[in-house]
Amino acid sequence: MEFPGALFPSYFGCGPPRDEGGPAPAAGWGERGEVLGTRPGRRQAQPPFVPLRSHEGESWTPAEAAAVPLLPPNTGCWIPAVTPQDILYRGVLHRKLRTGRSGAALDFAKQLGHFFVDHPEDAFGSLGQLLHKNFHLGDTRVRKRSARDTTIRMTTLVEKINHLEARRGCPQHQFTSRLRLFSHLCRDWLFEVPLELLADCVHEELLLQWANLLFDDSSTGGALAWLPPWDASSHMGRLVYPGGLAMNHLYFQDVVLEEQPRARGLPVQFELNGRIRQVAAARVDGQDFVGVRSDYHCGVWRMPGKTGAAPSPLQVIRTDVPATCLTVSPHLSGELSVCTQSGAVYLWNIETGLQRLRHDPQTLFFRDHSPWRWSDFTAHPRVLSCADRTGILCLDARAPASCHFDFFKVGEEAKCQQGERVVLPMYLGRAHPCQYLVTTQFAIYLLDERLPLVPVLKWAHMMKAPPLFADIVPGESGRSHKVLLGTSHTQELLLLQYTGEKTDSPHTACQLTGPPQRLHSIASCLPHLPTQLPLQHHLLQQRLSIPAAGLAAVQHEQGQQESLLVFQLSEAGDVFYQTLRHGAPPTPVLDQGDEAEPAPTPNEGDEAAAPPGSPALPAAALRYRRWLRPLLRAWVTSPASLCPSGPPTLSQRRLFTRKELAEVAPNALQQHKLQLQQAMRERGCIQRWEPAPEPPTPPPSLEPNALSARLTAAWGGEWGAVGPAGSTLQRQQALRERRRRQKRNRAHRRLSASFTSSVTYQSELSELSEGGTPHTPPATPQVAAECSPPRTPPPTSTEILLSSQELRSRGIPKERRRTLRDYLSVWAEGPQDPPEAPSSTAGQRCIPSSQSQLSSSSQSQLSSASQPRRKRPRMGF
Amino acid sequence: SSNEHRLNFWKSKELCLSYIQDALLQKQWKRAAEFLTSYIESLEKDFSTVFMGPSEMIWRIGTEILCSHSRSNIREFNSFIEQMKTLGVKRYLKVCLEHAFHLLCNGLIDEAYQNLSLAESWRFGEQTVLQDKEMKLIQAYRGLLDYYSWSNQKNILLEYGKDGLEDLSVEQEMRACFRKAAVNLKEIIKIPGVWDLFVKSYVDLLEFYGDHQEAREVLTDYAYNSKFPANPNAHVYFYQFLKRHGAPKKSLISALKILHDIVPSHELMIDFNTMLQKSKKRKRRRLGLEVIFAVLDYSGWKENVKAWSCLARQVKQIVISEKHLDWIKQQWNSRKDWWPAFHFSRYLAKRNWQEDKSLSYEKALVAGILLGKDCKYFKYVSHQGCKARVKRFRTLKKFVNKHSPAYLRISG
């Protein structure tokens, strides 16, 4: 508790930060900072000067080659993370192209549908009551003549809707006119939430999601907590973490610390009604108190200090605005502090309830828009710190209005940079009763309560994202304390060491010791997993690179060997760990790792370079396999593995105006138009493309020459003359006749006009696409637009249409040209179908009328790994 | 397409930097050094106006590698730094300062001194605010080294002074050192900052030559100038100075009173409490009680026997005299809702008894008076004490039972 006899020299100034700059990639290296002389006149005894940043520290070497799963995967969680592409509007097609790869997390139409079903009273309540008489539900006809004019029979509509549901996923499913009419008539007023309001809300939500993508502070503090063993001799602690479908289950899992940590028994589980954002824990009087924060609820559990005792929930509070912070007092049992986005700070005592200490929507030292607030305890049990992005204030809970002092300011006092903001303050009471850690996006600061405003230690951490999680492993009897910093989106993990006051006199000021060390991220274990099929590999990649959600660290001794265990939680609810072993005495800093092969980093994309499936330890390999098996098994049965939404319905309206197309080839177009009209009259087929069942690896398509010949012929007006497998016009017409006969027997159906037209143009364009952009990979449309295809067929009118120069000369803007190419590349798949595909047995090339068959056969094929899936358009938020 | 070239160059530069960073964070110094040699190419097209250009990064990364690499030596380090000094004018002073730090930490004090003197004589046009600060620091550190050599000579003089042979020359040398050190140290401690080391050295110099007035002024300014941060050490130095020079009790108390206001948990508060307890003035004794209560509010003092015995002694005194029970009452009022849980829980009673019997004795005494004989802590400890047949616990029980009315008056 003694204050260091002399502090490292530093300048002190007031005011806004003067230091301009930004994230400097190497700012943390090479500096000694300052030096402090120990007693003068004793030259013989050790170097008389100690630096603020010393290079000698304890050496900890990772025992595993990558992070290893500790617990079975959280198989319930398949909700994909929101990506920027979900929100950024970059054209309908672009989104369609990539839906196959990322999950539709923001399917707005679906969400609204769920809302209608889950809350019908809110959505249609009063109008439903008003129109009660005008809707008839039931199979009988409406008898009363007077009522017949004002009543709609809903049964048919419901049936129609059910039909639609059944055909969901069919590439060209049509809306019946009745449904269409009903929706046209009612959509403005039936739904009680005004559309403008809804649009505003959606927009607001989009903005929120975007802001969250840039920086999501809701998980500040981390949702993983370690409850240490009750006594030093036992090796069993507890891990508290969220899991489940929506991360709304709280688990208490016993973990035995041996050579490798291992879970013992099944976890104790609690289901909560919100996504768990933060789990905080502290031990007071031999009992662990665990605070759990979700957006609108905070709860506290108690874990009695006996082995085998079960955790018991104590109390829950509800907040009107989302809570941003929950910390548990390390001094008094059952005391917590809570902050909300409205700027309120509460001291929450289980027995006496909530006490509001402060309420200020404004930030502390200068104006900042962020509503984030944080609060933690200090060395004095009645003094709490209150933080926002601009700094930290300490206040006395007994007289919060009058007794307070400024503890940390983003400004010249701490030599901050411009734009620097507080990210996570943390009380380091376990290491030293007066020390505090403050992280910003650029640096970490170590503060001493007894000397406010002046950090006793500062170091630029150089992490790519702001560290949202931190944990401390106190070093006993003069050894260094270990600080772990973790980021969310980039999954970075950094180990720092510092020495506080040493127990021997004279007391020295805080020193950063040893070089900082990067630990394995969760994503780093991908190359060590057994080799997978591409689709599963992709799935794993996605799963492992999900943002981190928390970290916890614990030091324990196994015989003579000291190890540092670091647990990591991902937002999908998976818990990974890694072990660090205390190496040789650090005096000569060894070049560990130089001899070892450089560990691959996840962001370099060179996972292939490392030998897959060869982790350092066989135990780890077993754990990987054990983790992988249930994950993949669950994935196969999960809805996420199926095509989440139907194939796309495309519209050509954005591509060309009629005028533009007419300019291209007026005659051909005219002809096609005629043909289309005729087909419509006859209710015949106009399209020869059929999504036939495909072998997993498609054989090379037609020879370019044959293809171009076919195309030229088609373009020249001999529409249908050159069919697959040499089919002739006659044969086609015969088939048409047969179809017509079949169709007459069926229910009367009509094509909706827009739909038909779209199909027509698609078919045309899909034919064209083969000549112009052969097999353009959808992921790189730009490349396709830049370079001309290598196997160029003789220039035809098709080519002319599609060459960039031509498009340019026709005044088609650049972005549209790209869209066109993307568009064509999608449809390029259609005509690729091998002519000898067994589809001919079906003998039905007319798409619109064979939906039910297609939906069943093509669905299973489409989900095969090799083919990109097509999806319906969706709202991107 | 020079633009494309530039872009590619920039990209590979960034990639190289990320590789270096990666290697450094995994302590692969050799690998980092190999990448750094490639990165040096980035100096070729350093048109950057960014905050931290490649030359600074090379300096930082190179220093880091040379400091940590197992096979680097000080000679290589020096030659690297000398090259780095020529790379950027803006950074010259900073690099010099860091170089001196490195030398000092390796015990090469004379080399460091030379380096600092060299840097001090450096002139380059207008100086920025930052450079001005760095220059001041360089001078201050040189002053500090002068002080150290002065103090060495002083030690020599004190050891061999009796012979009286070389007195004159050593004394002259000391004078020279004193003058050089004093000028530089005096400069820096005028500027707001944390200058513990410099202030201590300067005061030591002044005291040796008998300039107490100046020393006192320096210390007063360092402690009480509002432009300076609230550094507890400044008050401690001032208090120690006063104590050394036999200042009246009143001024000592006022110095410590101010320290108590800033840092109630400071370790000097124990001395302060003892000093106040001995005082005859009522007001001071009352302040003493306040001070010791405040000390024990902090979690760092929770298990400190000394602090608890101070409190126990004073509380006992008051209870025996039966005067000023209201002092305790006043202090207790703001603590009675949380001290029982914080200090006197059953769990703590058990643990204190197991770990430190004398601590539990002092605490039980306080608990018995403040919370009565039914308090969990007192009951547990006195019971255990009687069971173990320790005499003082039995007297403790008797004492508390006898003075139970005092508890009623405090709590009432």
Side-chain angles (χ1 to χ4, degrees):
Chain A
M1 196 62 189
E2 282 178 41
F3 196 74
L7 297 165
F8 284 100
S10 72
Y11 280 100
F12 180 77
C14 296
R18 257 181 256 165
D19 201 2
E20 285 180 52
W29 301 121
E31 266 188 52
R32 292 286 186 164
E34 294 289 334
V35 289
L36 196 59
T38 47
R39 293 279 162 83
R42 281 195 207 160
R43 280 200 185 193
Q44 52 276 44
Q46 50 173 294
F49 285 92
V50 287
L52 187 59
R53 243 205 87 208
S54 142
H55 289 274
E56 280 124 41
E58 291 174 21
S59 108
W60 291 86
T61 38
E64 288 101 8
V68 182
L70 174 73
L71 303 169
N74 180 25
T75 46
C77 188
W78 292 107
I79 301 166
V82 179
T83 58
Q85 287 85 350
D86 282 327
I87 293 171
L88 287 176
Y89 179 83
R90 290 211 268 151
V92 183
L93 271 165
H94 180 83
R95 238 179 311 149
K96 261 172 217 154
L97 288 172
R98 52 165 299 285
T99 40
R101 264 158 291 133
S102 95
L106 302 169
D107 191 342
F108 175 63
K110 209 167 160 186
Q111 286 179 15
L112 202 60
H114 284 310
F115 172 68
F116 289 161
V117 173
D118 294 342
H119 306 276
E121 277 303 309
D122 296 333
F124 310 108
S126 51
L127 269 170
Q129 274 175 358
L130 274 177
L131 296 173
H132 180 65
K133 283 180 191 148
N134 303 67
F135 287 136
H136 176 66
L137 292 163
D139 292 333
T140 51
R141 290 186 147 268
V142 184
R143 285 286 160 83
K144 233 191 241 173
R145 207 197 150 89
S146 57
R148 209 177 288 166
D149 295 339
T150 55
T151 312
I152 306 175
R153 218 170 135 253
M154 293 306 289
T155 323
T156 9
L157 270 179
V158 171
E159 271 169 14
K160 290 258 157 71
I161 290 171
N162 287 343
H163 280 182
L164 269 186
E165 255 328 289
R167 287 199 304 268
R168 206 185 171 89
C170 170
Q172 263 87 30
H173 73 141
Q174 51 178 324
F175 293 96
T176 56
S177 60
R178 195 185 268 262
L179 274 179
R180 189 170 268 274
L181 191 67
F182 185 76
S183 78
H184 267 300
L185 273 174
C186 306
R187 107 179 135 195
D188 289 342
W189 52 266
L190 187 64
F191 172 40
E192 274 171 33
V193 181
L195 284 178
E196 284 88 29
L197 188 69
L198 185 70
D200 279 350
C201 290
V202 170
H203 188 246
E204 207 174 287
E205 176 68 18
L206 277 172
L207 284 177
L208 201 74
Q209 293 277 357
W210 182 246
N212 276 354
L213 264 182
L214 292 177
F215 176 54
D216 184 6
D217 57 15
S218 63
S219 63
T220 308
L224 186 66
W226 170 256
L227 312 182
W230 305 121
D231 49 75
S233 60
S234 110
H235 285 288
M236 196 174 72
R238 260 189 190 151
L239 215 51
V240 189
Y241 59 96
L245 201 62
M247 297 288 269
N248 62 336
H249 289 250
L250 183 70
Y251 294 103
F252 291 79
Q253 170 76 59
D254 286 342
V255 175
V256 183
L257 303 175
E258 285 165 354
E259 191 70 27
Q260 303 287 319
R262 91 191 138 77
R264 205 171 81 173
L266 288 172
V268 181
Q269 186 179 343
F270 294 91
E271 188 182 340
L272 316 184
N273 62 353
R275 186 190 173 88
I276 296 170
R277 302 283 186 187
Q278 191 199 344
V279 175
R283 177 164 292 182
V284 191
D285 280 3
Q287 289 183 322
D288 283 309
F289 286 85
V290 179
V292 175
R293 167 170 69 88
S294 68
D295 278 343
Y296 294 96
H297 293 91
C298 294
V300 58
W301 272 255
R302 181 174 50 203
M303 193 79 195
K306 282 176 270 174
T307 30
S312 54
L314 295 180
Q315 216 168 59
V316 176
I317 54 165
R318 196 178 62 79
T319 55
D320 290 335
V321 275
T324 56
C325 153
L326 180 69
T327 45
V328 187
S329 168
H331 308 300
L332 294 171
S333 56
E335 262 197 6
L336 300 98
S337 77
V338 185
C339 298
T340 65
Q341 283 188 355
S342 64
V345 180
Y346 297 91
L347 181 66
W348 174 20
N349 191 303
I350 302 294
E351 274 153 26
T352 58
L354 287 169
Q355 180 197 353
R356 192 166 79 182
L357 302 181
R358 194 183 144 81
H359 180 82
D360 189 2
Q362 304 292 317
T363 42
L364 287 169
F365 301 110
F366 54 87
R367 200 181 290 249
D368 189 86
H369 68 274
S370 172
W372 175 86
R373 296 290 184 277
W374 194 264
S375 167
D376 210 335
F377 291 85
T378 66
H380 192 299
R382 294 287 94 185
V383 177
L384 274 82
S385 69
C386 300
D388 59 34
R389 296 272 176 238
T390 66
I392 305 175
L393 180 89
C394 283
L395 46 82
D396 194 318
R398 293 168 294 186
S402 55
C403 289
H404 54 80
F405 64 92
D406 299 345
F407 187 33
F408 179 79
K409 263 186 205 176
V410 172
E412 184 62 22
E413 287 87 350
K415 298 185 185 58
C416 295
Q417 288 181 31
Q418 273 177 17
E420 197 163 347
R421 295 289 180 271
V422 174
V423 173
L424 173 73
M426 192 169 111
Y427 174 52
L428 302 178
R430 282 190 289 151
H432 187 282
C434 290
Q435 278 168 3
Y436 235 83
L437 177 78
V438 178
T439 69
T440 67
Q441 70 268 51
F442 303 130
I444 61 150
Y445 298 86
L446 206 66
L447 293 155
D448 192 305
E449 274 170 41
R450 295 164 291 185
L451 177 57
L453 296 176
V454 186
V456 290
L457 193 69
K458 175 187 175 177
W459 184 66
H461 57 63
M462 305 177 284
M463 290 167 105
K464 291 187 190 83
L468 282 179
F469 321 119
D471 200 4
I472 179 130
V473 180
E476 268 149 37
S477 60
R479 287 185 53 188
S480 65
H481 307 300
K482 286 104 204 158
V483 175
L484 284 132
L485 301 175
T487 65
S488 176
H489 278 268
T490 50
Q491 291 189 352
E492 285 164 280
L493 206 56
L494 206 62
L495 168 71
L496 303 174
Q497 299 175 44
Y498 78 93
T499 50
E501 297 154 33
K502 283 179 184 149
T503 40
D504 56 335
S505 61
H507 292 272
T508 49
C510 285
Q511 257 184 299
L512 201 65
T513 57
Q517 201 174 338
R518 178 188 286 166
L519 309 184
H520 303 302
S521 64
I522 295 176
S524 72
C525 78
L526 188 65
H528 300 279
L529 292 169
T531 321
Q532 299 295 326
L533 288 175
L535 187 69
Q536 288 166 343
H537 182 83
H538 177 70
L539 164 87
L540 283 176
Q541 201 172 17
Q542 255 189 358
R543 176 84 177 194
L544 293 172
S545 52
I546 275 179
L551 77 89
V554 56
Q555 187 174 342
H556 77 112
E557 271 168 54
Q558 188 73 44
Q560 292 295 307
Q561 182 68 60
E562 271 184 307
S563 0
L564 188 69
L565 259 173
V566 182
F567 299 103
Q568 249 182 313
L569 173 78
S570 81
E571 271 187 10
D574 297 326
V575 180
F576 283 69
Y577 78 91
Q578 53 196 305
T579 322
L580 295 154
R581 304 234 187 268
H582 190 202
T587 5
V589 179
L590 289 172
D591 258 25
Q592 331 103 332
D594 266 9
E595 290 74 29
E597 56 155 332
T601 46
N603 48 357
E604 282 166 30
D606 59 356
E607 297 104 339
S614 61
L617 298 165
L622 190 69
R623 288 203 179 211
Y624 286 130
R625 236 169 289 141
R626 258 193 221 151
W627 181 78
L628 200 60
R629 217 177 299 136
L631 183 78
L632 291 177
R633 205 183 300 139
W635 181 71
V636 169
T637 52
S638 76
S641 71
L642 302 169
C643 185
S645 53
T649 48
L650 295 179
S651 158
Q652 39 66 36
R653 242 173 271 162
R654 290 169 198 283
L655 287 170
F656 298 104
T657 58
R658 194 170 296 198
K659 213 167 139 197
E660 281 164 2
L661 277 174
E663 272 174 30
V664 177
N667 289 333
L669 193 75
Q670 206 61 40
Q671 234 165 357
H672 294 161
K673 253 187 207 161
L674 283 174
Q675 207 154 6
L676 169 67
Q677 278 164 6
Q678 194 194 344
M680 284 170 78
R681 264 198 304 279
E682 295 170 356
R683 291 188 203 125
C685 76
I686 38 107
Q687 204 191 27
R688 44 208 358 328
W689 168 69
E690 46 196 0
E694 270 185 2
T697 47
S701 56
L702 292 171
E703 286 288 295
N705 288 339
L707 178 72
S708 60
R710 200 182 124 204
L711 280 168
T712 324
W715 193 251
E718 296 158 66
W719 180 268
V722 189
S727 68
T728 56
L729 190 63
Q730 282 81 13
R731 193 175 154 201
Q732 193 117 46
Q733 273 168 349
L735 281 170
R736 252 180 231 168
E737 270 308 305
R738 209 169 80 195
R739 289 260 341 118
R740 218 172 287 153
R741 276 199 303 279
Q742 281 176 348
K743 276 192 88 178
R744 266 186 219 123
N745 300 335
R746 286 194 197 165
H748 201 73
R749 275 182 199 154
R750 269 190 294 161
L751 294 169
S752 72
S754 67
F755 182 73
T756 319
S757 72
S758 78
V759 167
T760 321
Y761 284 111
Q762 280 153 22
S763 68
E764 280 171 20
L765 288 165
S766 65
E767 300 279 72
L768 299 179
S769 71
E770 285 200 334
T773 51
H775 317 289
T776 317
T780 54
Q782 300 96 322
V783 177
E786 298 300 324
C787 64
S788 61
R791 30 172 197 167
T792 325
T796 58
S797 52
T798 323
E799 268 239 292
I800 292 165
L801 171 70
L802 286 158
S803 71
S804 317
Q805 295 89 346
E806 188 58 26
L807 290 175
R808 200 183 307 141
S809 72
R810 294 208 180 275
I812 296 167
K814 203 177 174 190
E815 55 276 14
R816 245 211 227 159
R817 266 178 259 151
R818 219 182 93 189
T819 321
L820 167 65
R821 281 170 204 288
D822 292 352
Y823 180 90
L824 293 178
S825 64
V826 177
W827 288 97
E829 291 157 16
Q832 275 168 38
D833 292 346
E836 57 275 0
S839 64
S840 54
T841 53
Q844 292 170 345
R845 296 208 178 83
C846 185
I847 302 291
S849 53
S850 61
Q851 287 155 339
S852 51
Q853 288 164 12
L854 280 174
S855 62
S856 58
S857 65
S858 64
Q859 191 75 69
S860 57
Q861 291 300 319
L862 283 169
S863 62
S864 79
S866 56
Q867 191 173 353
R869 273 169 279 145
R870 299 188 210 104
K871 289 181 184 176
R872 284 188 312 164
R874 61 196 174 81
M875 287 284 290
F877 98 97
Chain B
S1 60
S2 70
N3 209 5
E4 198 177 316
H5 173 73
R6 196 176 295 167
L7 197 69
N8 285 341
F9 183 70
W10 181 81
K11 267 188 198 158
S12 45
K13 204 174 83 180
E14 291 298 300
L15 197 67
C16 185
L17 188 64
S18 78
Y19 283 140
I20 297 175
Q21 196 81 343
D22 208 58
L24 286 178
L25 286 171
Q26 295 178 49
K27 301 189 188 174
Q28 297 166 349
W29 311 117
K30 207 174 131 197
R31 187 164 153 245
E34 279 161 15
F35 281 122
L36 185 64
T37 48
S38 314
Y39 189 75
I40 286 172
E41 300 238 337
S42 65
L43 282 177
E44 197 183 333
K45 293 211 169 161
D46 182 15
F47 308 121
S48 53
T49 50
V50 289
F51 170 62
M52 191 181 284
S55 58
E56 176 160 1
M57 285 198 237
I58 289 169
W59 163 59
R60 283 179 181 275
I61 293 167
T63 315
E64 188 72 25
I65 293 171
L66 285 174
C67 282
S68 310
H69 201 289
S70 53
R71 283 191 295 276
S72 71
N73 54 39
I74 198 78
R75 212 161 43 90
E76 276 171 18
F77 187 88
N78 286 344
S79 74
F80 173 76
I81 292 292
E82 288 307 325
Q83 283 178 46
M84 287 299 115
K85 282 179 188 169
T86 60
L87 267 184
V89 170
K90 275 189 198 161
R91 243 178 348 271
Y92 179 82
L93 291 175
K94 175 96 180 153
V95 176
C96 286
L97 199 57
E98 284 292 331
H99 189 195
F101 289 162
H102 184 84
L103 294 170
L104 284 176
C105 292
N106 283 293
L108 302 165
I109 303 206
D110 297 333
E111 286 87 336
Y113 189 84
Q114 277 170 17
N115 252 297
L116 288 172
S117 323
L118 209 67
E120 205 184 331
S121 61
W122 181 76
R123 293 284 176 277
F124 183 82
E126 289 273 302
Q127 281 183 353
T128 61
V129 181
L130 198 67
Q131 279 173 329
D132 198 39
K133 279 184 168 180
E134 277 159 1
M135 185 57 100
K136 286 250 161 61
L137 261 185
I138 285 174
Q139 288 165 350
Y141 273 106
R142 204 173 64 89
L144 189 70
L145 292 183
D146 279 325
Y147 163 74
Y148 280 171
S149 63
W150 172 87
S151 127
N152 271 331
Q153 279 152 0
K154 187 183 85 179
N155 285 348
I156 295 167
L157 196 70
L158 290 178
E159 257 176 65
Y160 305 105
K162 292 155 199 161
D163 306 348
L165 289 173
E166 290 173 305
D167 269 7
L168 204 64
S169 63
V170 172
E171 250 187 68
Q172 269 177 352
E173 228 175 284
M174 268 176 75
R175 274 272 170 195
C177 281
F178 160 69
R179 250 176 265 122
K180 277 193 279 181
V183 168
N184 284 329
L185 292 175
K186 196 181 173 181
E187 247 348 88
I188 193 127
I189 55 181
K190 281 181 195 159
I191 307 163
V194 178
W195 310 122
D196 290 359
L197 209 55
F198 303 142
V199 168
K200 261 168 118 172
S201 313
Y202 186 52
V203 168
D204 193 22
L205 287 174
L206 292 176
E207 277 186 274
F208 186 80
Y209 290 107
D211 198 350
H212 299 308
Q213 191 51 37
E214 168 85 8
R216 197 191 165 103
E217 270 168 31
V218 165
L219 286 171
T220 320
D221 192 53
Y222 190 50
Y224 301 127
N225 190 335
S226 60
K227 280 180 186 160
F228 279 68
N231 185 355
N233 279 341
H235 298 270
V236 175
Y237 298 157
F238 183 58
Y239 166 73
Q240 285 167 345
F241 174 83
L242 292 177
K243 215 173 158 188
R244 271 201 301 273
H245 294 279
K249 211 158 202 174
K250 198 179 162 192
S251 55
L252 287 178
I253 285 173
S254 75
L256 284 178
K257 173 79 173 60
I258 292 165
L259 183 61
H260 163 72
D261 290 340
I262 312 170
V263 188
S265 64
H266 200 275
E267 63 266 21
L268 276 183
M269 291 305 116
I270 300 292
D271 297 355
F272 188 34
N273 171 264
T274 347
M275 194 194 292
L276 291 170
Q277 261 192 57
K278 281 180 199 153
S279 170
K280 292 214 172 66
K281 286 187 187 161
R282 266 207 330 220
K283 210 172 134 194
R284 284 187 184 166
R285 289 211 305 277
R286 186 174 184 162
L287 179 65
L289 191 71
E290 193 186 320
V291 166
I292 196 68
F293 260 109
V295 163
L296 284 167
D297 281 348
Y298 287 85
S299 58
W301 288 98
K302 211 173 159 180
E303 273 152 24
N304 191 298
V305 190
K306 218 170 161 189
W308 277 108
S309 70
C310 281
L311 180 62
R313 201 189 316 141
Q314 195 163 7
V315 164
K316 204 172 161 184
Q317 248 176 30
I318 291 172
V319 169
I320 289 169
S321 69
E322 289 193 2
K323 269 190 240 163
H324 314 304
L325 277 173
D326 56 317
W327 294 356
I328 302 180
K329 190 178 172 180
Q330 198 204 359
Q331 292 303 322
W332 184 238
N333 263 342
S334 62
R335 293 177 172 91
K336 64 181 171 195
D337 55 336
W338 59 281
W339 263 42
F342 185 54
H343 285 309
F344 305 127
S345 68
R346 196 180 154 75
Y347 174 84
L348 282 175
K350 266 187 204 170
R351 216 182 67 184
N352 290 158
W353 176 257
Q354 276 168 9
E355 287 169 5
D356 191 348
K357 301 263 186 310
S358 52
L359 172 70
S360 64
Y361 171 81
E362 306 289 356
K363 275 180 81 174
L365 176 64
V366 176
I369 292 166
L370 293 174
L371 288 162
K373 60 182 173 13
D374 293 330
C375 138
K376 278 177 269 178
Y377 194 97
F378 172 75
K379 256 166 99 176
Y380 182 86
V381 172
S382 60
H383 181 73
Q384 293 292 328
C386 295
K387 221 163 72 177
R389 294 173 186 279
V390 184
K391 198 188 164 197
R392 62 173 175 165
F393 283 97
R394 222 173 288 164
T395 38
L396 167 74
K397 202 170 178 180
K398 269 185 205 154
F399 178 82
V400 170
N401 280 334
K402 192 180 155 198
H403 292 279
S404 51
Y407 152 68
L408 292 174
R409 278 177 62 191
I410 291 162
S411 61

